[in-house]
Amino acid sequence: MIAKNHLSAIYKNIAAEITQRIYKGVYPSGAYLPSENKLSQEFEVTRSTIRKALNVLKEKGTIESKQGKGYLVKELHWEQSLLQFYSFGQNIAQNIENPESKLLEHKKIKGLKSIDEFVSTELWQINRLRLMNEVPLILETSYIPIDYLKNFEIPELKQDSLYNLLKKNDNHVVRAKEYLEPVLPSLNDQELLEVKEDSCLFQTIRYSYDSENKLIELRESLIRGDHFSFSVEMTL
Amino acid sequence: MIAKNHLSAIYKNIAAEITQRIYKGVYPSGAYLPSENKLSQEFEVTRSTIRKALNVLKEKGTIESKQGKGYLVKELHWEQSLLQFYSFGQNIAQNIENPESKLLEHKKIKGLKSIDEFVSTELWQINRLRLMNEVPLILETSYIPIDYLKNFEIPELKQDSLYNLLKKNDNHVVRAKEYLEPVLPSLNDQELLEVKEDSCLFQTIRYSYDSENKLIELRESLIRGDHFSFSVEMTL
DNA sequence: AAGTGGTCTAGACCACGCC
DNA sequence: GCGTGGTCTAGACCACTTA
């Protein structure tokens, strides 16, 4: 039951409740939410209050409204949100074609000195190479506590995304922060990404957290700067 | 007068009209808009329709609502929006301290081959160095058609921002797109930014357009990657 | 006390998708 | 035709700011 609490508006409580249900899988991604009318009956408010609540989720990109159909729970929405800033080339909005992912290595390590949260945590280290049209573009290294990824089968990684695997282990990423820096490739990077020693790369580091604010993945990516570019657009 | 046109919702037309008034200076930045009640009288709609229109501008960052006071027209909001992605260092949210701007050079050039819009346009080329706490951080080169910046006095540049100068010449930037790439510094860059040849930089290229979609500034910035980092945060 | 934005109600009509 | 989301109205009460 949603409390009528004047310290925080009702629509915010409803938005939080619906978000929780999405986390917990009551409203699974790919499915539609109950209609505005049904939700307004359940929460005993008018349709406009429900609309205001749903609008909160819509702005965050958690759901998407389709006239005549309903509210669709989006999958991986936040990962796409991060990716929307990347584009290929400068003016061309090319589509992602023939994406491919090669698993280079996976092993257990005892911890990461440089990351406070992972200093003494047993981790999976997973190295992958991402290609597009057979051109190597991104070199990824993920670190995930083994506790969060107990059922880990190699073939799954080739088909499923890491986030889906985490989901199956009941770990839901709800917040992520990503940092970008320009770097030069190491010898190993040069070989794998097929670039020269003087061609700069983007290095991104992404921290992914669950709803309890625990770090569940650290991902370092090296991205070829000659094929990717980061872009931001602003309109008054 | 706002037409009741069912091809596009009324609130969108009102939002566009108010945006135009902000462009034209009817509602200058730093001032408050007329109240919701007054606007609903003028446009002959209910308060909720006005609120929906104002919400469009609020989401874009054009205006800001303050309970009990009104809607404040923000200044340079889009430039701040671009800047919000930059941060100093990785985890520290340091403030910008002792900012300084050195005018290195300014001259007229006959055009830029690499930019279609500027191939045969007489341009101002303005080179500036930005420092923070006496550390050189950003090397900027701006190209502006001389037609758009007729009254150009050197001392003004030291105090006023380029956008304010353009505004005084009745050129209002309403849209900008910025691209980011990792690059290595040239010899000249190394000297000015005080970095070594193997320390990577961010190169950003920003295109600024006015309301008629004319390119009014091209700005290339070289940013020290060891002091700046780009970051994006996403929340479900 | 008066004016402002923030929230919420109850009801209406429209445009879209599907059967 | 029916259910869905999208828009709009008319009015109420609240919280905040300023005088």
Side-chain angles (χ1 to χ4, degrees), chain A residues 120-176:
Chain A
S120 55
T121 314
E122 265 201 296
L123 303 167
W124 283 110
Q125 175 182 328
I126 299 162
N127 293 69
R128 288 183 297 175
L129 184 66
R130 306 275 189 160
L131 304 94
M132 229 71 86
N133 290 328
E134 294 171 8
V135 179
L137 286 181
I138 306 178
L139 187 59
E140 279 183 355
T141 309
S142 289
Y143 299 96
I144 301 176
I146 58 167
D147 289 343
Y148 296 161
L149 203 58
K150 280 175 180 162
N151 313 314
F152 173 39
E153 301 295 334
I154 303 140
E156 292 183 79
L157 251 190
K158 293 183 179 168
Q159 296 184 348
D160 229 345
S161 86
L162 217 42
Y163 291 107
N164 281 334
L165 279 185
L166 284 165
K167 230 182 209 171
K168 286 179 187 164
N169 282 264
D170 263 332
N171 289 302
H172 301 264
V173 171
V174 299
R175 193 167 66 81

Side-chain angles (χ1 to χ4, degrees), chain A residues 23 59-60 62 77-78 81-82 85 90-91 174-184 198 200-202 207 225 229-236, chain B residues 23 59-60 62 77-78 81-82 85 90-91 174-184 198 200-202 207 225 229-236:
Chain A
Y23 286 177
E59 276 169 25
K60 284 204 238 177
T62 312
H77 86 275
W78 64 267
S81 304
L82 283 172
F85 293 102
Q90 184 140 319
N91 291 310
V174 299
R175 193 167 66 81
K177 186 147 189 177
E178 180 160 311
Y179 299 91
L180 218 75
E181 276 175 35
V183 293
L184 282 173
D198 63 344
C200 278
L201 307 174
F202 284 119
Y207 298 79
S229 95
F230 218 80
S231 72
V232 190
E233 182 160 10
M234 289 297 142
T235 314
L236 176 67
Chain B
Y23 286 178
E59 275 170 26
K60 284 205 241 179
T62 312
H77 86 275
W78 64 267
S81 303
L82 281 173
F85 293 101
Q90 182 139 317
N91 292 309
V174 299
R175 193 168 66 82
K177 185 148 189 175
E178 181 160 310
Y179 298 91
L180 217 76
E181 276 175 35
V183 293
L184 283 173
D198 64 345
C200 279
L201 307 174
F202 284 119
Y207 299 78
S229 96
F230 219 80
S231 72
V232 190
E233 183 160 11
M234 289 298 142
T235 315
L236 176 66

Side-chain angles (χ1 to χ4, degrees), chain A residues 10-194:
Chain A
I10 296 176
Y11 78 93
K12 287 181 184 171
N13 292 339
I14 295 177
E17 168 63 22
I18 293 174
T19 304
Q20 280 304 312
R21 292 183 186 176
I22 291 173
Y23 286 177
K24 290 177 184 163
V26 183
Y27 305 143
S29 57
Y32 284 92
L33 294 183
S35 72
E36 293 178 345
N37 282 322
K38 284 178 187 156
L39 287 171
S40 57
Q41 283 167 31
E42 183 198 332
F43 289 109
E44 295 174 323
V45 293
T46 54
R47 220 184 113 207
S48 33
T49 304
I50 289 293
R51 282 181 64 77
K52 217 171 171 197
L54 293 176
N55 199 43
V56 173
L57 303 202
K58 202 165 79 171
E59 276 169 25
K60 284 204 238 177
T62 312
I63 58 177
E64 186 185 353
S65 63
K66 299 196 175 185
Q67 198 172 42
K69 297 196 70 176
Y71 287 88
L72 182 66
V73 181
K74 296 219 281 182
E75 6 209 350
L76 289 179
H77 86 275
W78 64 267
E79 196 182 11
Q80 288 168 358
S81 304
L82 283 172
L83 275 172
Q84 82 189 3
F85 293 102
Y86 299 97
S87 62
F88 293 90
Q90 184 140 319
N91 291 310
I92 318 120
Q94 289 175 16
N95 291 321
I96 295 176
E97 283 172 11
N98 303 324
E100 201 187 335
S101 176
K102 272 190 196 165
L103 182 62
L104 299 176
E105 195 184 4
H106 69 286
K107 59 181 179 186
K108 289 188 186 179
I109 61 170
K110 292 200 173 174
L112 275 178
K113 289 179 200 164
S114 52
I115 308 296
D116 287 346
E117 289 101 324
F118 285 171
V119 163
S120 55
T121 314
E122 265 201 296
L123 303 167
W124 283 110
Q125 175 182 328
I126 299 162
N127 293 69
R128 288 183 297 175
L129 184 66
R130 306 275 189 160
L131 304 94
M132 229 71 86
N133 290 328
E134 294 171 8
V135 179
L137 286 181
I138 306 178
L139 187 59
E140 279 183 355
T141 309
S142 289
Y143 299 96
I144 301 176
I146 58 167
D147 289 343
Y148 296 161
L149 203 58
K150 280 175 180 162
N151 313 314
F152 173 39
E153 301 295 334
I154 303 140
E156 292 183 79
L157 251 190
K158 293 183 179 168
Q159 296 184 348
D160 229 345
S161 86
L162 217 42
Y163 291 107
N164 281 334
L165 279 185
L166 284 165
K167 230 182 209 171
K168 286 179 187 164
N169 282 264
D170 263 332
N171 289 302
H172 301 264
V173 171
V174 299
R175 193 167 66 81
K177 186 147 189 177
E178 180 160 311
Y179 299 91
L180 218 75
E181 276 175 35
V183 293
L184 282 173
S186 71
L187 279 174
N188 187 40
D189 300 338
Q190 289 169 39
E191 270 182 41
L192 288 166
L193 289 171
E194 298 173 11

